Amino acid sequence: MSAQPVEPVALRNTPLHDLHLRLGARMVPFAGYAMPLQYPAGQLKEHLHTRQAAGLFDVSHMGQVVLSGPDPDRIARALESLIPADLAGLKAGRQRYGLLTDESGGILDDLMVARFDDRLVVVVNAANKRADAARLRERLPAEIAVEERPDALIALQGPAAEAALAALAPEVAAMRFLDVRTVTLLGAPGFVARSGYTGEDGFEISVPAEAAEAVAEALLAKAGVMPVGLGARDTLRLEAGLCLHGADIDPTTSPAEADLGFAIPKVRRRGGARAGGFPGEARILQELEAGTARRRVGLRPEGRAPVRAGAPLLAEDGTPLGTVTSGSFGPSLGAPVAMGYVAALHAQAGTRLLAEVRGQHLPLVVTPLPFRPATFKRD
Amino acid sequence: MLRFTDEHEWLKLDGEIATVGITQHATEQLGDLVFVELPKVGAALIKGAAAAVVESVKAASEVYAPLDGEVTEVNDAVAASPETVNADPQGSGWLYRMRLKDPAAMETLMDEAAYAAFTQ
């Protein structure tokens, strides 16, 4: 058994830190924060419980960047110069997935853009939030105020999420997948998005830091709601086929390589009304039409052994094909699952590959993503 | 005789055969196990070299041979149901049995009180 390295870094605490300690969480450093890896129930139970009832996750380490000042139409248009999504077409009360791209066509971050009556709110990954905010400040017109909010962010995910949150704010029951709205929770002003990172129906709830603990405790008191740590969050998103920035996508991967073409709609592609006009457009648009030499795929190992990030992928004849970028055991599937990049010729579903794990070659099969169908409330 | 290593394995000696597993403390650190890879019966083990692998949802960890010897038996039940190791790490969750090259070397390892102090 190898010893755990101790990181001598000063960690920041989220507004729910004391609650995590009271709940018996095992805290680990993540993106500069002390975060709960798991609670006493453990990762497997936390994962399965989220799919069966509801999990409450502290995701306050993520960045919430408010863009305000001019008319939100103008903000949305300006943001399209950095994100190849249809943001001008995003209606108030709606949210959309997008990619922050760089000049070489790589992915600086993936994010959610929400539009409200008077502003846009961009939710970004914890490790990138400072860089993202700096890029927005630098590249957007000076009339747009870019403010990183210190608010708490709580994800409530799973089939019991709606009833639990509606007990505090009945209006959320009428929301559909990717709706956003401002709410008052226990007297505190906040906003709710009907989305998440688990493949389950659920919500992400933004509240002021000082209200976070009361809101979290009120939700944990509802039927079926259990605290869930980052460990289970990772296996939930992996089963849902969702990318983790820094693992599955980063500045060295392009949207087409990452199979994220859905995030770039026709209107921003060649021939579209607002084609191009974002960093890396030449490479990104060309690749969406012509394809790429490698592609992100889902992988299911045939045996029981998990195949983890970094494992080399080979063709059955031993030719190197790529690398695993995420891999673990999928508790809801009762089997290991992984994602990785392979040469495009071997990216067809059903292709058998080998992964090198501790000197052995383990067979796995290219599998369509998600591994498990999402249960979003679409209508 | 029950002994412990600073790599969080336990050994229980019966004659010249030692039953080997990972400690309660180790399972608490690792979390829920989802995969166990055991050595082959007959494999020669060298103290400090990898003898088995236990994987939790989060990570893979090697289990090092606590002493020199030869594998005489493996616990196939934990390979089929890794959760057994979490449920009863120092009982039905044992990993393998080995014939010790030098049973007297057990004395170089920690007894229960020393291990308890070590994990404080």
Side-chain angles (χ1 to χ4, degrees):
Chain A
M1 318 289 315
S2 359
Q4 306 269 330
V6 177
E7 304 218 356
V9 184
L11 295 175
R12 298 172 68 184
N13 293 338
T14 75
L16 295 178
H17 189 74
D18 292 347
L19 178 61
H20 298 316
L21 298 184
R22 280 208 302 285
L23 292 169
R26 182 188 302 175
M27 306 300 288
V28 294
F30 184 84
Y33 285 81
M35 296 298 293
L37 175 66
Q38 61 175 67
Y39 299 88
Q43 285 186 35
L44 283 180
K45 281 203 183 73
E46 291 170 21
H47 175 117
L48 295 170
H49 185 89
T50 302
R51 299 234 186 271
Q52 283 153 10
L56 182 139
F57 307 72
D58 180 10
V59 289
S60 301
H61 58 316
M62 295 185 72
Q64 301 179 59
V65 183
V66 177
L67 305 178
S68 63
D71 182 273
D73 277 334
R74 285 170 62 117
I75 301 173
R77 286 297 194 112
L79 200 53
E80 285 195 351
S81 70
L82 297 175
I83 300 172
D86 179 10
L87 301 177
L90 184 63
K91 294 189 175 66
R94 292 289 291 167
Q95 187 185 44
R96 190 159 280 168
Y97 180 73
L99 303 170
L100 197 62
T101 57
D102 69 15
E103 281 60 26
S104 65
I107 302 171
L108 291 171
D109 204 0
D110 65 338
L111 41 77
M112 298 298 291
V113 182
R115 175 148 177 190
F116 294 89
D117 289 333
D118 59 342
R119 68 195 191 281
L120 273 69
V121 177
V122 188
V123 177
V124 303
N125 283 296
N128 302 326
K129 63 183 179 181
R130 196 153 298 162
D132 291 355
R135 185 172 176 86
L136 296 177
R137 243 174 234 123
E138 191 181 302
R139 302 293 186 97
L140 293 176
E143 61 172 349
I144 299 174
V146 177
E147 185 200 3
E148 255 186 279
R149 295 287 310 164
D151 300 333
L153 194 65
I154 298 167
L156 186 65
Q157 302 279 296
E162 182 186 285
L165 185 58
L168 303 188
E171 64 270 33
V172 304
M175 295 172 72
R176 298 293 178 268
F177 181 55
L178 296 177
D179 280 351
V180 294
R181 64 180 298 158
T182 56
V183 293
T184 300
L185 293 168
L186 304 178
F191 73 83
V192 166
R194 193 154 196 162
S195 59
Y197 193 47
T198 60
E200 295 295 319
D201 178 31
F203 302 88
E204 289 192 347
I205 305 155
S206 173
V207 287
E210 58 275 15
E213 191 173 292
V215 169
E217 288 200 294
L219 292 170
L220 287 169
K222 304 293 180 241
V225 182
M226 171 190 266
V228 177
L230 289 185
R233 183 171 159 84
D234 192 52
T235 50
L236 288 159
R237 70 92 193 166
L238 180 56
E239 285 183 347
L242 299 170
C243 289
L244 172 63
H245 193 272
D248 308 299
I249 51 175
D250 63 31
T252 72
T253 59
S254 70
E257 287 177 327
D259 200 20
L260 294 175
F262 76 90
I264 306 174
K266 275 190 187 148
V267 69
R268 303 302 308 277
R269 298 193 188 194
R270 284 178 185 158
R274 297 191 310 285
F278 54 83
E281 66 169 282
R283 174 187 176 190
I284 290 170
L285 296 182
Q286 200 271 337
E287 285 185 352
L288 286 172
E289 290 174 13
T292 55
R294 60 172 188 158
R295 207 162 85 220
R296 179 177 65 98
V297 294
L299 299 163
R300 289 206 56 170
E302 292 183 345
R304 281 192 66 119
V307 174
R308 312 243 176 213
L313 291 166
L314 316 167
E316 287 191 296
D317 67 4
T319 311
L321 293 180
T323 309
V324 172
T325 52
S326 282
S328 185
F329 181 80
S332 299
L333 300 160
V337 286
M339 297 197 287
Y341 285 80
V342 295
L345 284 174
H346 298 262
Q348 286 286 100
T351 306
R352 288 185 91 231
L353 309 173
L354 299 171
E356 194 179 315
V357 177
R358 295 184 290 272
Q360 299 171 43
H361 286 174
L362 306 182
L364 27 74
V365 179
V366 175
T367 305
L369 295 171
F371 295 107
R372 203 180 166 282
T375 56
F376 303 137
K377 190 168 174 184
R378 292 186 191 272
D379 45 41
Chain B
M1 186 195 293
L2 182 63
R3 288 290 181 270
F4 298 83
T5 73
D6 55 7
E7 299 287 354
H8 306 288
E9 289 114 20
W10 57 266
L11 295 83
K12 196 172 171 198
L13 189 66
D14 184 10
E16 57 182 10
I17 305 291
T19 302
V20 181
I22 62 173
T23 65
Q24 176 82 33
H25 176 81
T27 60
E28 286 163 9
Q29 295 300 310
L30 291 167
D32 297 316
L33 296 187
V34 295
F35 178 72
V36 176
E37 187 175 292
L38 297 170
K40 293 208 170 22
V41 171
L45 298 183
I46 296 164
K47 181 181 175 174
V53 176
V54 292
E55 298 205 28
S56 67
V57 184
K58 196 73 189 163
S61 305
E62 293 189 324
V63 182
Y64 305 119
L67 292 171
D68 294 349
E70 184 188 319
V71 178
T72 57
E73 190 181 348
V74 298
N75 187 1
D76 289 322
V78 299
S81 305
E83 61 275 14
T84 309
V85 180
N86 292 96
D88 190 14
Q90 285 164 235
S92 59
W94 63 278
L95 300 181
Y96 61 90
R97 296 200 165 106
M98 65 190 291
R99 175 174 290 109
L100 295 183
K101 194 172 164 189
D102 175 17
M106 285 287 281
E107 297 299 347
T108 64
L109 304 176
M110 287 180 272
D111 64 14
E112 199 154 10
Y115 181 69
F118 175 70
T119 53
Q120 280 311 300

